Amino acid sequence: MVGFKATDVPPTATVKFLGAGTAACIADLITFPLDTAKVRLQIQGEKQGPVRAAASAQYRGVLGTILTMVRTEGPCSLYNGLVAGLQRQMSFASVRIGLYDSVKQFYTKGSEHAGIGSRLLAGSTTGALAVAVAQPTDVVKVRFQAQARAGGGRRYQSTVDAYKTIAREEGFRGLWKGTSPNVARNAIVNCAELVTYDLIKDTLLKANLMTDDLPCHFTSAFGAGFCTTIIASPVDVVKTRYMNSALGQYSSAGHCALTMLQKEGPRAFYKGFMPSFLRLGSWNVVMFVTYEQLKRALMAACTSQEAPF
């Protein structure tokens, strides 16, 4: 057995909720530069808007984007929007990942044998619910990651300033910009990510190919990250473009997608695919491995406190 041993008592909903948020924050800290590179590549090619992130530098590939940002804006630019990103994960992942098992049990009426339909329904539900809770943090994170520090004034000076400026200039609805594509994206991502992880892990355990420890969690998480990137990339690009757009640039998320298709072709929907995969693959591995270990550690701590001396 590698890592913490599984406890006899299954983790509670509270342990899953806190563990998921904490694990997601740890994963974000490690993979945030890849996410920032992904955003820069996704918005590259836009011809309008107050933030023209690639106006002074053409980004080429993951490493090229990161090196260009470090050279022109400094290393700290790779962590633009980190505060909002951590706020997002603590509220977002806690709901979409931490409540997944509870919602799945609700749909299966407590049955231990969950079908693919119940898993997909649970993933869609918690993914959409998470957006309703954390959308403003996602908007601020994307805006920060998109703004370039070199060659002009910054759009926002701090995380608090971003929330205030968006609310003042675009109204309350500005903080919820892109909710529709984000609901679609996260329903898809949650289904692809959690359901794939769930199915791969169950298959490995039932076939006795692996035991329920770190190698199993690593393999399941990597597979989930790859499947998620392929399925969710088009919606993710539209979400990023729409959230980062100037007021009135696009009338809707559908208009944004249609404009991309007309001006840049179908390949535009897979811009930033490599950083998306590197980020989602590594993020999934770090998050799920950490999440599984945190659940066990927290339950072990709770059990030891309750045990008589």
Side-chain angles (χ1 to χ4, degrees):
M1 172 68 72
V2 183
F4 286 99
K5 291 179 63 177
T7 58
D8 294 330
V9 182
T12 63
T14 303
V15 165
K16 291 177 182 177
F17 188 85
L18 294 175
T22 305
C25 285
I26 293 170
D28 242 31
L29 281 169
I30 295 171
T31 63
F32 206 79
L34 291 170
D35 193 41
T36 302
K38 178 202 75 172
V39 169
R40 293 292 181 93
L41 284 166
Q42 286 177 338
I43 64 171
Q44 186 167 245
E46 283 189 304
K47 301 186 184 299
Q48 300 177 27
V51 175
R52 298 178 63 185
S56 59
Q58 289 296 315
Y59 301 120
R60 294 182 180 278
V62 186
L63 184 59
T65 301
I66 291 174
L67 291 176
T68 299
M69 289 179 64
V70 170
R71 186 176 66 252
T72 60
E73 304 171 50
C76 291
S77 65
L78 297 172
Y79 283 90
N80 275 352
L82 178 63
V83 174
L86 295 179
Q87 290 172 351
R88 173 182 179 269
Q89 291 298 353
M90 202 63 218
S91 54
F92 186 76
S94 297
V95 174
R96 79 176 183 92
I97 299 170
L99 297 183
Y100 170 74
D101 286 334
S102 299
V103 174
K104 184 173 69 174
Q105 288 175 0
F106 171 78
Y107 284 130
T108 58
K109 296 180 171 56
S111 172
E112 292 183 3
H113 304 288
I116 186 70
S118 299
R119 296 176 201 244
L120 289 172
L121 197 55
S124 300
T125 302
T126 57
L129 185 60
V131 173
V133 173
Q135 181 67 6
T137 61
D138 205 10
V139 172
V140 171
K141 179 185 82 78
V142 168
R143 297 278 183 96
F144 258 103
Q145 288 177 311
Q147 72 177 1
R149 291 181 179 178
R154 296 179 63 190
R155 195 174 184 182
Y156 309 111
Q157 300 305 314
S158 67
T159 305
V160 174
D161 176 56
Y163 285 115
K164 288 181 178 178
T165 303
I166 294 170
R168 184 176 64 250
E169 294 180 355
E170 303 174 42
F172 182 74
R173 291 179 64 182
L175 289 169
W176 298 90
K177 191 172 188 177
T179 299
S180 296
N182 214 12
V183 166
R185 174 193 179 271
N186 283 291
I188 293 169
V189 165
N190 232 31
C191 287
E193 199 172 74
L194 293 177
V195 175
T196 304
Y197 178 82
D198 219 5
L199 289 171
I200 293 174
K201 182 181 171 184
D202 280 357
T203 302
L204 291 172
L205 294 177
K206 286 177 181 177
N208 293 319
L209 296 173
M210 290 184 176
T211 55
D212 192 3
D213 54 14
L214 280 174
C216 176
H217 303 157
F218 180 93
T219 304
S220 304
F222 187 82
F226 182 72
C227 293
T228 304
T229 308
I230 293 174
I231 295 168
S233 273
V235 183
D236 191 37
V237 174
V238 173
K239 181 212 78 167
T240 300
R241 291 280 186 98
Y242 188 58
M243 279 184 179
N244 185 56
S245 64
L247 189 63
Q249 184 176 348
Y250 302 116
S251 60
S252 65
H255 177 228
C256 176
L258 189 61
T259 302
M260 284 173 57
L261 184 62
Q262 291 173 337
K263 293 185 176 180
E264 303 172 60
R267 292 181 64 183
F269 292 97
Y270 279 91
K271 276 193 171 182
F273 179 83
M274 231 11 238
S276 286
F277 171 60
L278 290 174
R279 194 259 176 181
L280 264 178
S282 57
W283 191 91
N284 270 272
V285 168
V286 175
M287 195 286 298
F288 277 115
V289 169
T290 306
Y291 178 44
E292 297 279 9
Q293 294 302 303
L294 276 174
K295 285 191 296 184
R296 295 178 179 188
L298 289 170
M299 286 308 297
C302 291
T303 306
S304 64
Q305 285 182 352
E306 293 172 2
F309 291 101

